Amino acid sequence: DTAVSQTPKYLVTQMGNDKSIKCEQNLGHDTMYWYKQDSKKFLKIMFSYNNKELIINETVPNRFSPKSPDKAHLNLHINSLELGDSAVYFCASSQDRRALRNTGELFFGEGSRLTVL
Amino acid sequence: KNEVEQSPQNLTAQEGEFITINCSYSVGISALHWLQQHPGGGIVSLFMLSSGKKKHGRLIATINIQEKHSSLHITASHPRDSAVYICAVTTGNQFYFGTGTSLTVIP
């Protein structure tokens, strides 16, 4: 039973399309995150939600919009996809905001590889 | 310049060797995470620490807050340890990641 699950695992789409990646965690955690890993394998945080409230909103294009319908879900919507959006997107969760401080371990999903043609 | 620097970038070791991966950071942190990314792409959290030392099996992580430095040690390395090891720090409201150390352990 996967703790943090992302769908789809692979997504190939054309430039200009709008797509979504879904993330669900069944750990009862309060805090969820989206990270982007580029072609050089460099990870960067994009967003974080704590109990449906946005707490980290990095400098990413407005085309990226997270949506958290409840604390177990954090979906990532991307509008007008561009070539540079091709990357692996990781969802993660932690029990609460303490992952940002000193006591909360991170649990990662398996990643969603987005390829924009 | 990246807020988190790791060394070495690539490391090849013979099975059984003792391995050390270093992480230096330039920001004030609340915690430091060591992550492991397997060739298949999945990421696993190995340690989170804010002081001292933690041990889990053959893995040991240490941190020196004054020197802004952490090390990840692997004792008796094994081919299954081959992965990318990523250091990440949190400042209370932000995450910064190192570029990773790619480890290959040869039988």
Side-chain angles (χ1 to χ4, degrees):
Chain A
D1 198 17
T2 307
V4 181
S5 59
Q6 299 178 224
T7 54
K9 284 189 73 172
Y10 300 95
L11 183 55
V12 180
T13 189
Q14 298 281 341
M15 274 178 57
N17 284 348
D18 303 336
K19 290 293 178 187
S20 295
I21 306 172
K22 295 186 177 181
C23 180
E24 176 182 3
Q25 53 93 4
N26 62 7
L27 298 166
H29 288 171
D30 285 342
T31 306
M32 296 183 72
Y33 311 81
W34 275 111
Y35 298 91
K36 179 180 178 181
Q37 186 172 46
D38 61 24
S39 57
K40 297 180 180 177
K41 303 291 187 182
F42 188 64
L43 271 166
K44 191 167 184 178
I45 190 164
M46 300 176 70
F47 302 103
S48 177
Y49 270 71
N50 182 68
N51 208 2
K52 301 198 296 175
E53 176 192 350
L54 182 65
I55 57 172
I56 293 178
N57 184 9
E58 273 307 286
T59 308
V60 298
N62 293 340
R63 300 179 294 99
F64 290 79
S65 56
K67 296 222 173 16
S68 182
D70 55 61
K71 72 175 192 178
H73 295 84
L74 181 60
N75 303 323
L76 183 64
H77 301 278
I78 315 171
N79 296 325
S80 303
L81 279 157
E82 298 178 359
L83 293 176
D85 298 332
S86 296
V88 180
Y89 293 85
F90 284 94
C91 176
S93 73
S94 63
Q95 186 171 355
D96 52 36
R97 295 177 67 163
R98 287 178 291 176
L100 289 162
R101 297 193 176 90
N102 60 9
T103 53
E105 184 181 353
L106 288 165
F107 293 81
F108 283 84
E110 293 184 345
S112 296
R113 181 175 294 277
L114 171 65
T115 303
V116 182
L117 303 174
Chain B
K1 188 178 183 299
N2 201 22
E3 289 82 358
V4 180
E5 299 285 347
Q6 285 184 236
S7 62
Q9 276 194 305
N10 297 286
L11 182 56
T12 301
Q14 291 288 333
E15 183 173 356
E17 283 186 7
F18 180 83
I19 288 162
T20 296
I21 299 171
N22 295 300
C23 175
S24 297
Y25 52 91
S26 58
V27 294
I29 70 167
S30 302
L32 183 142
H33 298 254
W34 279 105
L35 310 173
Q36 180 191 53
Q37 185 168 28
H38 279 284
I43 298 176
V44 175
S45 175
L46 297 175
F47 294 102
M48 186 181 64
L49 61 166
S50 55
S51 64
K53 177 179 172 178
K54 285 191 177 180
K55 184 175 189 292
H56 185 252
R58 294 179 296 105
L59 302 177
I60 304 167
T62 63
I63 188 169
N64 185 318
I65 296 293
Q66 286 73 30
E67 295 185 2
K68 294 190 174 180
H69 181 268
S70 174
S71 293
L72 176 68
H73 305 286
I74 306 175
T75 61
S77 59
H78 190 275
R80 64 174 175 266
D81 298 326
S82 297
V84 175
Y85 293 83
I86 302 168
C87 174
V89 300
T90 66
T91 63
N93 61 358
Q94 187 50 276
F95 270 95
Y96 298 100
F97 291 88
T99 52
T101 295
S102 180
L103 171 66
T104 303
V105 181
I106 300 170

Short mmCIF file of all heavy atoms in Angstrom, two decimals, chain A residues 33 35 37 40-45 55-56 58 90 97-106 108-110, chain B residues 2 30-33 35 37 40-46 48 50 86 90-95 97-99:
data_model
loop_
_atom_site.label_atom_id
_atom_site.label_comp_id
_atom_site.label_asym_id
_atom_site.label_seq_id
_atom_site.Cartn_x
_atom_site.Cartn_y
_atom_site.Cartn_z
N TYR A 33 4.27 18.51 -0.40
CA TYR A 33 5.22 19.32 -1.16
C TYR A 33 5.22 18.88 -2.63
O TYR A 33 4.95 17.72 -2.94
CB TYR A 33 6.65 19.10 -0.65
CG TYR A 33 6.83 19.21 0.85
CD1 TYR A 33 6.52 18.15 1.69
CD2 TYR A 33 7.35 20.37 1.41
CE1 TYR A 33 6.70 18.24 3.06
CE2 TYR A 33 7.53 20.47 2.79
CZ TYR A 33 7.22 19.39 3.60
OH TYR A 33 7.40 19.50 4.96
N TYR A 35 8.13 19.05 -5.71
CA TYR A 35 9.50 19.35 -6.09
C TYR A 35 9.67 19.08 -7.57
O TYR A 35 9.03 18.19 -8.13
CB TYR A 35 10.51 18.45 -5.35
CG TYR A 35 10.50 18.59 -3.85
CD1 TYR A 35 9.68 17.77 -3.08
CD2 TYR A 35 11.31 19.51 -3.21
CE1 TYR A 35 9.67 17.87 -1.70
CE2 TYR A 35 11.31 19.62 -1.83
CZ TYR A 35 10.49 18.80 -1.08
OH TYR A 35 10.49 18.91 0.29
N GLN A 37 12.61 18.07 -10.43
CA GLN A 37 13.99 17.63 -10.67
C GLN A 37 14.29 17.77 -12.15
O GLN A 37 13.67 17.12 -12.98
CB GLN A 37 14.20 16.18 -10.22
CG GLN A 37 15.65 15.74 -10.31
CD GLN A 37 15.88 14.37 -9.69
OE1 GLN A 37 15.13 13.44 -9.93
NE2 GLN A 37 16.93 14.23 -8.89
N LYS A 40 19.42 17.82 -15.07
CA LYS A 40 20.70 17.64 -14.38
C LYS A 40 20.52 17.03 -13.00
O LYS A 40 21.43 17.02 -12.19
CB LYS A 40 21.43 18.99 -14.26
CG LYS A 40 21.80 19.59 -15.60
CD LYS A 40 22.51 20.91 -15.45
CE LYS A 40 22.86 21.49 -16.79
NZ LYS A 40 23.49 22.82 -16.71
N LYS A 41 19.34 16.54 -12.75
CA LYS A 41 19.01 15.85 -11.50
C LYS A 41 18.98 16.79 -10.30
O LYS A 41 19.07 16.33 -9.16
CB LYS A 41 20.00 14.70 -11.21
CG LYS A 41 20.08 13.68 -12.30
CD LYS A 41 18.82 12.87 -12.39
CE LYS A 41 18.96 11.73 -13.38
NZ LYS A 41 17.71 10.97 -13.51
N PHE A 42 18.87 18.10 -10.57
CA PHE A 42 18.84 19.05 -9.47
C PHE A 42 17.42 19.21 -8.96
O PHE A 42 16.50 19.53 -9.73
CB PHE A 42 19.41 20.38 -9.92
CG PHE A 42 19.60 21.36 -8.81
CD1 PHE A 42 20.49 21.11 -7.79
CD2 PHE A 42 18.87 22.54 -8.77
CE1 PHE A 42 20.66 22.01 -6.75
CE2 PHE A 42 19.03 23.44 -7.74
CZ PHE A 42 19.92 23.18 -6.73
N LEU A 43 17.24 19.00 -7.67
CA LEU A 43 15.92 19.12 -7.05
C LEU A 43 15.68 20.54 -6.59
O LEU A 43 16.57 21.21 -6.07
CB LEU A 43 15.83 18.21 -5.83
CG LEU A 43 15.35 16.78 -6.03
CD1 LEU A 43 15.66 15.95 -4.81
CD2 LEU A 43 13.86 16.74 -6.34
N LYS A 44 14.44 20.98 -6.75
CA LYS A 44 14.08 22.31 -6.27
C LYS A 44 12.64 22.27 -5.78
O LYS A 44 11.78 21.67 -6.43
CB LYS A 44 14.23 23.32 -7.40
CG LYS A 44 14.13 24.75 -6.93
CD LYS A 44 14.59 25.70 -8.02
CE LYS A 44 14.58 27.14 -7.49
NZ LYS A 44 15.04 28.10 -8.46
N ILE A 45 12.40 22.89 -4.63
CA ILE A 45 11.03 22.91 -4.13
C ILE A 45 10.20 23.90 -4.93
O ILE A 45 10.69 24.95 -5.36
CB ILE A 45 10.98 23.23 -2.63
CG1 ILE A 45 9.56 22.98 -2.11
CG2 ILE A 45 11.44 24.66 -2.35
CD1 ILE A 45 9.46 22.89 -0.61
N ILE A 55 2.08 27.25 2.17
CA ILE A 55 3.11 27.80 3.05
C ILE A 55 4.42 28.08 2.34
O ILE A 55 5.23 28.86 2.81
CB ILE A 55 3.36 26.90 4.29
CG1 ILE A 55 3.76 25.47 3.88
CG2 ILE A 55 2.15 26.88 5.19
CD1 ILE A 55 4.20 24.60 5.05
N ILE A 56 4.67 27.41 1.23
CA ILE A 56 5.83 27.73 0.40
C ILE A 56 5.35 27.89 -1.02
O ILE A 56 4.64 27.04 -1.54
CB ILE A 56 6.91 26.63 0.45
CG1 ILE A 56 7.54 26.54 1.82
CG2 ILE A 56 8.00 26.90 -0.60
CD1 ILE A 56 8.58 25.43 1.95
N GLU A 58 7.35 28.99 -4.24
CA GLU A 58 8.59 29.44 -4.85
C GLU A 58 8.34 30.19 -6.14
O GLU A 58 7.22 30.22 -6.65
CB GLU A 58 9.52 28.25 -5.09
CG GLU A 58 10.36 27.94 -3.88
CD GLU A 58 11.11 29.15 -3.39
OE1 GLU A 58 12.11 29.54 -4.04
OE2 GLU A 58 10.71 29.74 -2.37
N PHE A 90 8.28 15.50 -8.22
CA PHE A 90 8.11 14.64 -7.05
C PHE A 90 7.16 15.30 -6.05
O PHE A 90 7.29 16.48 -5.73
CB PHE A 90 9.45 14.41 -6.34
CG PHE A 90 10.35 13.45 -7.03
CD1 PHE A 90 11.32 13.89 -7.92
CD2 PHE A 90 10.23 12.08 -6.80
CE1 PHE A 90 12.17 13.00 -8.55
CE2 PHE A 90 11.08 11.18 -7.44
CZ PHE A 90 12.04 11.64 -8.32
N ARG A 97 4.66 20.56 9.68
CA ARG A 97 5.65 21.50 9.18
C ARG A 97 7.03 21.27 9.78
O ARG A 97 7.98 21.94 9.41
CB ARG A 97 5.20 22.92 9.49
CG ARG A 97 3.93 23.30 8.77
CD ARG A 97 3.47 24.68 9.15
NE ARG A 97 4.38 25.70 8.68
CZ ARG A 97 4.06 26.98 8.60
NH1 ARG A 97 2.86 27.38 8.96
NH2 ARG A 97 4.94 27.86 8.20
N ARG A 98 7.13 20.27 10.67
CA ARG A 98 8.42 20.08 11.31
C ARG A 98 9.50 19.59 10.36
O ARG A 98 10.66 19.67 10.67
CB ARG A 98 8.28 19.12 12.49
CG ARG A 98 7.59 19.77 13.67
CD ARG A 98 7.40 18.79 14.82
NE ARG A 98 6.43 17.77 14.49
CZ ARG A 98 6.15 16.76 15.31
NH1 ARG A 98 6.79 16.63 16.44
NH2 ARG A 98 5.26 15.86 14.95
N ALA A 99 9.12 19.09 9.15
CA ALA A 99 10.15 18.76 8.17
C ALA A 99 10.91 20.01 7.80
O ALA A 99 12.06 19.96 7.39
CB ALA A 99 9.55 18.13 6.92
N LEU A 100 10.24 21.14 7.95
CA LEU A 100 10.90 22.39 7.66
C LEU A 100 11.75 22.84 8.84
O LEU A 100 12.56 23.72 8.71
CB LEU A 100 9.87 23.47 7.33
CG LEU A 100 9.17 23.29 5.99
CD1 LEU A 100 7.89 24.08 5.93
CD2 LEU A 100 10.08 23.70 4.87
N ARG A 101 11.53 22.23 9.98
CA ARG A 101 12.30 22.60 11.17
C ARG A 101 13.24 21.47 11.49
O ARG A 101 14.24 21.29 10.85
CB ARG A 101 11.35 22.96 12.31
CG ARG A 101 10.50 24.17 11.95
CD ARG A 101 9.78 24.75 13.13
NE ARG A 101 9.06 25.94 12.73
CZ ARG A 101 7.81 25.94 12.29
NH1 ARG A 101 7.15 24.83 12.17
NH2 ARG A 101 7.23 27.07 11.94
N ASN A 102 12.96 20.66 12.45
CA ASN A 102 13.97 19.66 12.77
C ASN A 102 13.47 18.31 13.21
O ASN A 102 14.21 17.54 13.75
CB ASN A 102 14.90 20.24 13.84
CG ASN A 102 14.12 20.60 15.11
OD1 ASN A 102 12.95 20.26 15.23
ND2 ASN A 102 14.76 21.28 16.02
N THR A 103 12.23 18.03 13.00
CA THR A 103 11.80 16.72 13.47
C THR A 103 10.97 15.92 12.47
O THR A 103 10.62 14.80 12.75
CB THR A 103 10.96 16.86 14.75
OG1 THR A 103 9.92 17.78 14.51
CG2 THR A 103 11.81 17.30 15.91
N GLY A 104 10.64 16.48 11.32
CA GLY A 104 9.72 15.78 10.42
C GLY A 104 10.40 15.14 9.23
O GLY A 104 10.98 15.82 8.39
N GLU A 105 10.28 13.83 9.13
CA GLU A 105 10.87 13.12 8.01
C GLU A 105 10.01 13.31 6.76
O GLU A 105 8.79 13.44 6.84
CB GLU A 105 10.95 11.64 8.35
CG GLU A 105 11.65 10.78 7.30
CD GLU A 105 11.66 9.32 7.69
OE1 GLU A 105 11.26 9.00 8.81
OE2 GLU A 105 12.08 8.50 6.86
N LEU A 106 10.66 13.30 5.61
CA LEU A 106 9.97 13.43 4.34
C LEU A 106 9.70 12.06 3.73
O LEU A 106 10.54 11.18 3.79
CB LEU A 106 10.83 14.22 3.35
CG LEU A 106 10.98 15.71 3.60
CD1 LEU A 106 12.13 16.27 2.78
CD2 LEU A 106 9.69 16.44 3.25
N PHE A 108 8.57 10.50 0.04
CA PHE A 108 8.45 10.90 -1.35
C PHE A 108 7.58 9.94 -2.15
O PHE A 108 7.57 8.73 -1.90
CB PHE A 108 9.82 10.95 -2.02
CG PHE A 108 10.64 12.16 -1.65
CD1 PHE A 108 11.38 12.18 -0.49
CD2 PHE A 108 10.64 13.28 -2.47
CE1 PHE A 108 12.13 13.29 -0.14
CE2 PHE A 108 11.38 14.40 -2.13
CZ PHE A 108 12.13 14.40 -0.96
N GLY A 109 6.90 10.49 -3.13
CA GLY A 109 6.27 9.67 -4.15
C GLY A 109 7.33 9.19 -5.13
O GLY A 109 8.50 9.56 -5.03
N GLU A 110 6.91 8.39 -6.11
CA GLU A 110 7.86 7.80 -7.03
C GLU A 110 8.25 8.74 -8.17
O GLU A 110 9.13 8.41 -8.95
CB GLU A 110 7.28 6.50 -7.61
CG GLU A 110 7.12 5.42 -6.55
CD GLU A 110 6.64 4.11 -7.17
OE1 GLU A 110 6.16 4.12 -8.32
OE2 GLU A 110 6.74 3.09 -6.48
N ASN B 2 25.44 27.81 -5.29
CA ASN B 2 24.40 27.06 -4.64
C ASN B 2 24.54 27.15 -3.13
O ASN B 2 25.64 27.17 -2.59
CB ASN B 2 24.47 25.61 -5.10
CG ASN B 2 23.17 24.88 -4.88
OD1 ASN B 2 22.11 25.51 -4.79
ND2 ASN B 2 23.24 23.57 -4.78
N SER B 30 17.49 24.93 9.94
CA SER B 30 16.75 24.29 11.03
C SER B 30 17.06 22.80 11.05
O SER B 30 17.06 22.20 12.13
CB SER B 30 15.25 24.48 10.82
OG SER B 30 14.93 25.84 10.76
N ALA B 31 17.25 22.23 9.89
CA ALA B 31 17.53 20.80 9.81
C ALA B 31 18.23 20.48 8.49
O ALA B 31 18.16 21.26 7.53
CB ALA B 31 16.24 19.99 9.91
N LEU B 32 18.87 19.34 8.48
CA LEU B 32 19.54 18.86 7.28
C LEU B 32 19.03 17.44 6.99
O LEU B 32 18.89 16.62 7.90
CB LEU B 32 21.06 18.85 7.47
CG LEU B 32 21.91 18.44 6.27
CD1 LEU B 32 23.18 19.27 6.21
CD2 LEU B 32 22.24 16.97 6.29
N HIS B 33 18.73 17.20 5.71
CA HIS B 33 18.23 15.89 5.29
C HIS B 33 19.25 15.22 4.37
O HIS B 33 19.84 15.89 3.52
CB HIS B 33 16.92 16.04 4.49
CG HIS B 33 15.79 16.65 5.24
ND1 HIS B 33 14.71 15.92 5.70
CD2 HIS B 33 15.54 17.93 5.60
CE1 HIS B 33 13.85 16.72 6.30
NE2 HIS B 33 14.32 17.95 6.26
N LEU B 35 19.09 12.33 1.52
CA LEU B 35 18.15 11.58 0.71
C LEU B 35 18.93 10.63 -0.19
O LEU B 35 20.07 10.90 -0.56
CB LEU B 35 17.32 12.52 -0.16
CG LEU B 35 16.65 13.70 0.54
CD1 LEU B 35 16.00 14.63 -0.49
CD2 LEU B 35 15.61 13.20 1.53
N GLN B 37 18.50 8.58 -3.85
CA GLN B 37 17.71 8.38 -5.06
C GLN B 37 18.30 7.21 -5.83
O GLN B 37 19.43 7.23 -6.29
CB GLN B 37 17.70 9.63 -5.94
CG GLN B 37 16.78 9.48 -7.15
CD GLN B 37 16.52 10.78 -7.88
OE1 GLN B 37 17.33 11.68 -7.87
NE2 GLN B 37 15.37 10.88 -8.51
N GLY B 40 16.28 3.76 -10.32
CA GLY B 40 14.91 3.79 -10.82
C GLY B 40 14.24 5.13 -10.65
O GLY B 40 13.18 5.38 -11.23
N GLY B 41 14.83 6.00 -9.83
CA GLY B 41 14.31 7.36 -9.69
C GLY B 41 13.65 7.67 -8.37
O GLY B 41 13.51 8.83 -8.02
N GLY B 42 13.24 6.65 -7.62
CA GLY B 42 12.57 6.90 -6.36
C GLY B 42 13.49 7.53 -5.33
O GLY B 42 14.70 7.28 -5.31
N ILE B 43 12.93 8.38 -4.47
CA ILE B 43 13.70 9.07 -3.45
C ILE B 43 13.26 8.60 -2.08
O ILE B 43 12.07 8.52 -1.79
CB ILE B 43 13.52 10.59 -3.55
CG1 ILE B 43 14.01 11.11 -4.90
CG2 ILE B 43 14.27 11.30 -2.42
CD1 ILE B 43 13.77 12.59 -5.12
N VAL B 44 14.26 8.30 -1.25
CA VAL B 44 13.99 7.84 0.10
C VAL B 44 14.73 8.74 1.07
O VAL B 44 15.88 9.09 0.85
CB VAL B 44 14.46 6.38 0.29
CG1 VAL B 44 14.30 5.94 1.73
CG2 VAL B 44 13.69 5.45 -0.62
N SER B 45 14.07 9.10 2.13
CA SER B 45 14.72 9.90 3.16
C SER B 45 15.55 8.98 4.04
O SER B 45 15.05 7.99 4.57
CB SER B 45 13.66 10.60 4.00
OG SER B 45 14.25 11.29 5.07
N LEU B 46 16.84 9.28 4.18
CA LEU B 46 17.71 8.46 5.02
C LEU B 46 17.80 9.01 6.44
O LEU B 46 17.68 8.27 7.41
CB LEU B 46 19.12 8.42 4.41
CG LEU B 46 19.26 7.78 3.04
CD1 LEU B 46 20.69 7.93 2.53
CD2 LEU B 46 18.84 6.32 3.06
N MET B 48 17.26 12.78 8.96
CA MET B 48 17.05 14.19 9.19
C MET B 48 17.71 14.51 10.51
O MET B 48 17.48 13.83 11.51
CB MET B 48 15.58 14.57 9.26
CG MET B 48 15.39 16.06 9.35
SD MET B 48 13.68 16.52 9.45
CE MET B 48 13.30 15.77 11.00
N SER B 50 19.61 17.75 13.10
CA SER B 50 19.89 19.15 13.37
C SER B 50 21.09 19.31 14.28
O SER B 50 21.58 20.42 14.49
CB SER B 50 18.68 19.84 13.98
OG SER B 50 18.27 19.14 15.14
N ILE B 86 21.64 12.79 -1.89
CA ILE B 86 21.34 14.22 -1.97
C ILE B 86 21.24 14.81 -0.58
O ILE B 86 20.56 14.26 0.30
CB ILE B 86 20.00 14.45 -2.72
CG1 ILE B 86 20.06 13.85 -4.12
CG2 ILE B 86 19.66 15.93 -2.78
CD1 ILE B 86 18.71 13.77 -4.82
N THR B 90 16.90 22.79 5.38
CA THR B 90 15.71 23.60 5.53
C THR B 90 16.02 24.76 6.46
O THR B 90 16.78 24.62 7.42
CB THR B 90 14.53 22.79 6.08
OG1 THR B 90 14.83 22.39 7.43
CG2 THR B 90 14.28 21.56 5.26
N THR B 91 15.41 25.90 6.13
CA THR B 91 15.67 27.09 6.93
C THR B 91 14.48 27.47 7.80
O THR B 91 14.48 28.49 8.41
CB THR B 91 16.00 28.28 6.02
OG1 THR B 91 14.85 28.57 5.20
CG2 THR B 91 17.18 27.98 5.11
N GLY B 92 13.48 26.62 7.82
CA GLY B 92 12.26 26.94 8.56
C GLY B 92 11.11 27.22 7.62
O GLY B 92 9.97 26.90 7.89
N ASN B 93 11.40 27.83 6.48
CA ASN B 93 10.35 28.04 5.49
C ASN B 93 10.84 27.83 4.08
O ASN B 93 10.23 28.28 3.11
CB ASN B 93 9.75 29.44 5.63
CG ASN B 93 10.80 30.51 5.40
OD1 ASN B 93 11.97 30.22 5.17
ND2 ASN B 93 10.39 31.76 5.44
N GLN B 94 11.94 27.13 3.94
CA GLN B 94 12.53 26.94 2.61
C GLN B 94 13.39 25.69 2.60
O GLN B 94 13.96 25.29 3.61
CB GLN B 94 13.40 28.16 2.25
CG GLN B 94 13.93 28.16 0.83
CD GLN B 94 12.84 27.93 -0.18
OE1 GLN B 94 12.48 26.79 -0.47
NE2 GLN B 94 12.31 29.00 -0.73
N PHE B 95 13.45 25.08 1.43
CA PHE B 95 14.33 23.94 1.20
C PHE B 95 15.41 24.34 0.20
O PHE B 95 15.12 25.01 -0.80
CB PHE B 95 13.54 22.78 0.56
CG PHE B 95 12.92 21.84 1.53
CD1 PHE B 95 11.60 22.00 1.93
CD2 PHE B 95 13.63 20.76 2.01
CE1 PHE B 95 11.01 21.11 2.81
CE2 PHE B 95 13.04 19.87 2.89
CZ PHE B 95 11.73 20.04 3.29
N PHE B 97 18.63 22.29 -1.98
CA PHE B 97 19.18 20.97 -2.27
C PHE B 97 20.58 21.06 -2.84
O PHE B 97 20.90 21.99 -3.59
CB PHE B 97 18.30 20.25 -3.30
CG PHE B 97 16.95 19.85 -2.77
CD1 PHE B 97 15.89 20.73 -2.84
CD2 PHE B 97 16.76 18.60 -2.22
CE1 PHE B 97 14.64 20.37 -2.36
CE2 PHE B 97 15.52 18.22 -1.74
CZ PHE B 97 14.46 19.11 -1.80
N GLY B 98 21.42 20.07 -2.49
CA GLY B 98 22.68 19.91 -3.17
C GLY B 98 22.45 19.23 -4.51
O GLY B 98 21.34 18.78 -4.81
N THR B 99 23.49 19.18 -5.32
CA THR B 99 23.37 18.62 -6.65
C THR B 99 23.51 17.10 -6.66
O THR B 99 23.37 16.47 -7.69
CB THR B 99 24.40 19.22 -7.61
OG1 THR B 99 25.69 19.11 -7.00
CG2 THR B 99 24.10 20.68 -7.88
#
